[in-house]
Amino acid sequence: MTPNPPPSPAAGPLDDRRRRTLAAAAERIHPADDLGPGAVDLGVVGYLEAMLVETRDERPWAGIYLAGLDLLDELARARAGLPFAELPAPEQDLILAGLDRGPAADRVGAPPPTVGEDFLDLLIEHVHEGVLGDPVHGGNRGGRGWSLLSYPGPRPVIPAAGQEIGFTAPTDPSSTYDHPLFAGAHR
């Protein structure tokens, strides 16, 4: 089972049930392991929810997310009698993999086959954005997603001391928007 996501910072389209389902699905796409934190610990749920609320271009995706999260719960209940977030990880993986094949054949009144596929495609793309994007957007908490790639964070200017042999760059990545060139550009 997936750890509970933190409460939503803003009133968004997701209720607690859908937020737990989203957290579980995101954690299956980017699970915690011995290499680093999973999607939940990296703040991906908050990133996704903020994206659905704040970004005008992505607002049409809210409907796909709501339908996709409801579909995950419906498939989980049909398969195991539990909501998606309460299933063991291997069962969650099977349900997510099934979205690539369209809705389950035994479902009555199933949504169009593209709901599951479109949702899964968006979710995978957006989870990766939340894991690896600039922390200023809410995901990649503390730049820890960048650490998975050994990326130290933005370094637009390398000081002379940084060009010396043996120099060790600081490991505390910051946001691109913290740099004076971009100050105030995001907010």
Side-chain angles (χ1 to χ4, degrees):
M1 287 191 281
T2 305
N4 285 332
S8 174
L14 303 181
D15 56 22
D16 287 340
R17 178 190 57 82
R18 286 180 175 140
R19 195 173 294 110
R20 284 189 302 273
T21 302
L22 178 60
E27 192 72 16
R28 295 313 309 142
I29 291 168
H30 185 84
D33 60 18
D34 58 338
L35 298 176
V40 171
D41 287 340
L42 289 170
V44 171
V45 175
Y47 164 78
L48 294 172
E49 196 160 9
M51 178 193 63
L52 293 172
V53 171
E54 296 172 6
T55 309
R56 288 189 184 125
D57 293 340
E58 280 87 3
R59 277 189 194 231
W61 294 339
I64 294 172
Y65 268 85
L66 296 177
L69 294 169
D70 290 345
L71 178 61
L72 287 178
D73 270 340
E74 185 178 331
L75 292 172
R77 287 185 191 283
R79 181 180 187 92
L82 294 169
F84 183 83
E86 293 180 22
L87 293 179
E91 290 291 318
Q92 292 174 342
D93 290 345
L94 288 173
I95 290 171
L96 286 169
L99 293 182
D100 259 345
R101 296 185 296 270
D106 61 347
R107 292 183 59 239
V108 176
T114 59
V115 168
E117 294 170 89
D118 287 350
F119 169 67
L120 184 60
D121 290 346
L122 282 174
L123 184 62
I124 290 169
E125 179 180 339
H126 293 156
V127 165
H128 289 131
E129 287 176 8
V131 167
L132 298 172
D134 193 307
V136 74
H137 301 293
N140 190 11
R141 191 175 289 141
R144 294 181 300 160
W146 289 339
S147 297
L148 296 170
L149 303 174
S150 298
Y151 175 60
R155 301 283 186 257
V157 177
I158 300 173
Q163 298 176 36
E164 297 295 324
I165 294 176
F167 174 78
T168 303
T171 58
D172 181 26
S174 60
S175 169
T176 304
Y177 298 99
D178 291 338
H179 190 275
L181 290 174
F182 300 105
H186 174 13
R187 299 182 210 318

